[in-house]
Amino acid sequence: MAGNKALVLCLFLSMAGVIFGWGNSEGSGLFNMDSYKQRFGDCDSTGTCTISTTRQSAITGMLSLGAIFGAVGSGAIADRLGLRMTCIIFLVIHLIGAAIETSGVVYQQIYVARVLTGLGIGATSGLVPVFQAEAAPPRWRGLVTGSFQLCVTLGIWGVSMCGWGMSSYAGDKSWRVVTGLQMAFDALLLFGFILLPESPRFLAKKGKWEHCRKNLANLRGLPLDDQAIDVEMDEVRMKTEEDEKRGNPSYIECFSMKDRILWRTMIGILVQIGQQITGVNFFFSYGVEFAQTAGLDNTYVFQIILASVNVAMSFPGIYAVERFGRRPVLLWGAALMFVGQIVTGAVSEAYPNDKVAGDVLIAFTCVFIASFAASWGPVAWVVCGESFPIRLSGLCVTLGTGANWLFNLVIAFAAPQIQARIGTGITFVWAGCLALAFVFAYTCIPETKGMSIEEVDALYLSHTPAWRSAAFKRRQEEEQIKSHEKHLARSLHREGAEPKRSANTSARTSAEGAESPVEEV
């Protein structure tokens, strides 16, 4: 069936989310392994080894630092080399970083390795949603873009399970296996990207029209001479000519007031920041330490429970974004996460080291994680991927992704310090941030379910308030139906008038012929 090939390819690309989730969450388990603490921590005279809070923050934060540069810098590189080749380059960088991390003997090596893996993760997390938004059939775009977050959760779950499984082993192999498995995912992704066709829009921009047509037909699963390919090629050609008149896109243009680009850029940036300030990555990066602070016994099991809930609830989240829309899912998700954080903080503060309270804490932390996985987890990527015109999408999405990683970096350094001072009360900080995220989603994020990129453009240009945007597509469809009916009525009127005029003309001609004198021969 036409479009199935593009759908399968786009879903495969979502596997880049696995290395995202794996690299971003591996520290939680590694920091609790004795062999890792002996190798990269400081040991006292009794032989007890610990990794300081500052060093933990640095190891976690270096990945975010690299990801910021990877996310922001990859957009300009992709405009020159194409999405496919740029992703291949950054996957190779990630592979090198994972190899250095796996073979590390001093913590300075880990710093360098984490920056390199961060470059690869930041670039792919920014570029993959751009390719998916461009290549996926419009009716499946929410599913495809949301599947990237599903793969992030699979990466988090995988590294949690691997860390738990290897924690019983002695020696460096316990942590080297955890870090080394990243290279297996890199190899698989590299193989896929090598087989992947280049973006048709990029080829059109370079004037390679035959190659563009071939890749477009390849993605759509249609013959080269199919009428649907002709129609889409005309659209691509027209859009490319418009872009050429405007010149090459730049990051400065992402902040232009024209066509409400600045407003749309800020929505893309703020929705990614909103995803981070929910506090979800705190639980996956420092979940073991949080469980210890809360007085829980089996911290690895706590981490696995959270990761499993995260994966399981991503599936209804992907369904919900297409069934109910972007806005309802974001709003309900923020409200439920708020409740989860408030209850978790209140119980842990009121009843520390209490078994029943510990069970309640686990339950409401799961409520928080489930709400995130079904809402802000996938939907933030969907909103960011579909908010911009094709010409600027590569640059604007990388700005949003860069903001995501910037706040990931801030949280990586700040959260352990905050927790060291206020303990589990840090959940109240996340609750305050969630209240802000709810207000932002209600007032700023429009409903774009089922819209093409061109329809999303029209929505923003109409200045429709976000809370009234759900009716925009319905009004557009009604106007199109009315326009079609008027056009049809005019056509029928003209068709009915033509025979009448012809009959009148014939009668008039016959009468004139009868009245005129006949010429005698």
Side-chain angles (χ1 to χ4, degrees):
M1 187 183 294
N4 279 0
K5 184 171 185 178
L7 181 61
V8 171
L9 286 172
C10 289
L11 290 173
F12 176 81
L13 293 184
S14 292
M15 281 188 58
V18 173
I19 62 173
F20 182 143
W22 194 284
N24 199 36
S25 303
E26 68 178 16
S28 183
L30 296 181
F31 296 151
N32 206 40
M33 289 183 177
D34 291 334
S35 58
Y36 196 83
K37 289 188 283 189
Q38 291 167 6
R39 174 68 67 180
F40 303 113
D42 297 312
C43 303
D44 58 22
S45 57
T46 64
T48 302
C49 301
T50 58
I51 301 176
S52 67
T53 301
T54 301
R55 190 169 296 173
Q56 287 184 33
S57 297
I59 291 173
T60 304
M62 286 298 170
L63 182 136
S64 301
L65 181 64
I68 294 169
F69 289 101
V72 176
S74 61
I77 297 173
D79 281 338
R80 289 179 175 272
L81 302 181
L83 291 171
R84 173 178 168 274
M85 184 53 65
T86 303
C87 285
I88 289 173
I89 290 170
F90 278 96
L91 278 171
V92 171
I93 292 172
H94 184 275
L95 181 64
I96 294 169
I100 294 173
E101 184 178 12
T102 304
S103 61
V105 292
V106 293
Y107 70 84
Q108 290 88 345
Q109 274 182 279
I110 303 301
Y111 290 169
V112 173
R114 295 282 286 177
V115 170
L116 292 176
T117 54
L119 283 168
I121 291 171
T124 53
S125 65
L127 296 179
V128 166
V130 173
F131 185 90
Q132 290 176 323
E134 178 182 323
R139 68 192 181 106
W140 296 116
R141 196 172 62 243
L143 165 69
V144 166
T145 313
S147 68
F148 181 85
Q149 177 63 24
L150 171 62
C151 286
V152 173
T153 67
L154 287 171
I156 295 170
W157 180 82
V159 77
S160 298
M161 292 296 292
C162 188
W164 171 66
M166 296 305 299
S167 63
S168 59
Y169 287 84
D172 287 345
K173 69 179 178 182
S174 61
W175 61 268
R176 291 193 197 277
V177 170
V178 176
T179 58
L181 279 174
Q182 297 176 92
M183 293 185 282
F185 294 113
D186 285 331
L188 187 60
L189 280 165
L190 278 170
F191 177 75
F193 271 104
I194 289 171
L195 298 179
L196 187 75
E198 182 54 87
S199 159
R201 268 75 175 181
F202 170 77
L203 294 170
K205 188 169 67 174
K206 296 298 181 182
K208 300 178 180 179
W209 292 105
E210 289 301 319
H211 198 177
C212 171
R213 187 183 188 89
K214 179 182 176 182
N215 283 14
L216 186 61
N218 190 4
L219 283 171
R220 298 292 177 257
L222 295 171
L224 280 171
D225 57 353
D226 192 276
Q227 186 177 358
I229 299 299
D230 292 334
V231 172
E232 193 164 356
M233 279 297 296
D234 289 340
E235 293 174 357
V236 171
R237 192 180 298 274
M238 183 176 66
K239 193 68 178 174
T240 302
E241 290 172 355
E242 289 177 5
D243 291 345
E244 286 176 352
K245 290 177 183 176
R246 295 184 183 183
N248 292 326
S250 67
Y251 278 112
I252 294 175
E253 198 173 343
C254 296
F255 299 94
S256 168
M257 299 295 290
K258 185 179 180 182
D259 296 338
R260 304 192 77 197
I261 296 299
L262 174 61
W263 176 253
R264 296 157 74 171
T265 299
M266 294 312 299
I267 287 176
I269 289 173
L270 290 174
V271 75
Q272 291 284 12
I273 291 174
Q275 188 194 67
Q276 283 299 314
I277 62 176
T278 60
V280 67
N281 278 330
F282 166 77
F283 285 95
F284 290 124
S285 296
Y286 301 106
V288 171
E289 289 77 8
F290 176 82
Q292 290 171 340
T293 303
L296 300 180
D297 295 328
N298 199 327
T299 55
Y300 276 109
V301 172
F302 173 73
Q303 192 75 357
I304 290 170
I305 290 172
L306 296 189
S308 299
V309 170
N310 195 28
V311 172
M313 290 305 296
S314 292
F315 290 98
I318 292 172
Y319 168 77
V321 71
E322 290 299 342
R323 175 66 178 83
F324 303 109
R326 283 59 164 158
R327 279 175 57 80
V329 173
L330 287 173
L331 294 173
W332 277 103
L336 290 172
M337 282 190 283
F338 178 85
V339 172
Q341 292 284 29
I342 289 291
V343 174
T344 298
V347 169
S348 60
E349 289 289 314
Y351 303 100
N353 301 314
D354 183 89
K355 187 179 185 307
V356 175
D359 292 340
V360 174
L361 182 147
I362 292 173
F364 276 88
T365 303
C366 288
V367 169
F368 164 76
I369 295 296
S371 303
F372 173 85
S375 60
W376 284 77
V379 180
W381 294 103
V382 174
V383 171
C384 191
E386 66 186 11
S387 294
F388 314 110
I390 290 292
R391 179 170 176 271
L392 292 175
S393 61
L395 300 179
C396 292
V397 170
T398 54
L399 285 175
T401 309
N404 183 301
W405 284 109
L406 176 61
F407 271 74
N408 199 330
L409 175 64
V410 171
I411 290 168
F413 278 98
Q417 311 298 331
I418 296 171
Q419 182 179 252
R421 287 167 174 78
I422 65 175
T424 54
I426 193 172
T427 56
F428 297 120
V429 176
W430 305 130
C433 293
L434 282 162
L436 294 175
F438 181 94
V439 174
F440 162 68
Y442 181 81
T443 58
C444 298
I445 299 179
E447 182 55 68
T448 54
K449 184 185 79 167
M451 293 186 183
S452 67
I453 297 297
E454 290 73 23
E455 288 172 331
V456 173
D457 282 339
L459 169 62
Y460 278 106
L461 292 175
S462 71
H463 291 266
T464 302
W467 55 91
R468 295 179 182 172
S469 57
F472 176 82
K473 185 173 177 60
R474 187 166 60 251
R475 288 198 305 270
Q476 290 286 95
E477 290 173 348
E478 289 172 355
E479 288 173 4
Q480 287 176 0
I481 291 171
K482 288 179 182 178
S483 176
H484 177 71
E485 288 175 347
K486 288 180 180 177
H487 178 73
L488 183 62
R490 289 195 206 99
S491 299
L492 292 173
H493 178 73
R494 284 196 298 269
E495 289 172 4
E498 281 298 324
K500 188 174 180 180
R501 281 197 300 270
S502 298
N504 290 339
T505 303
S506 299
R508 191 166 54 251
T509 305
S510 301
E512 289 172 354
E515 292 172 1
S516 60
V518 179
E519 188 174 341
E520 294 182 0
V521 180

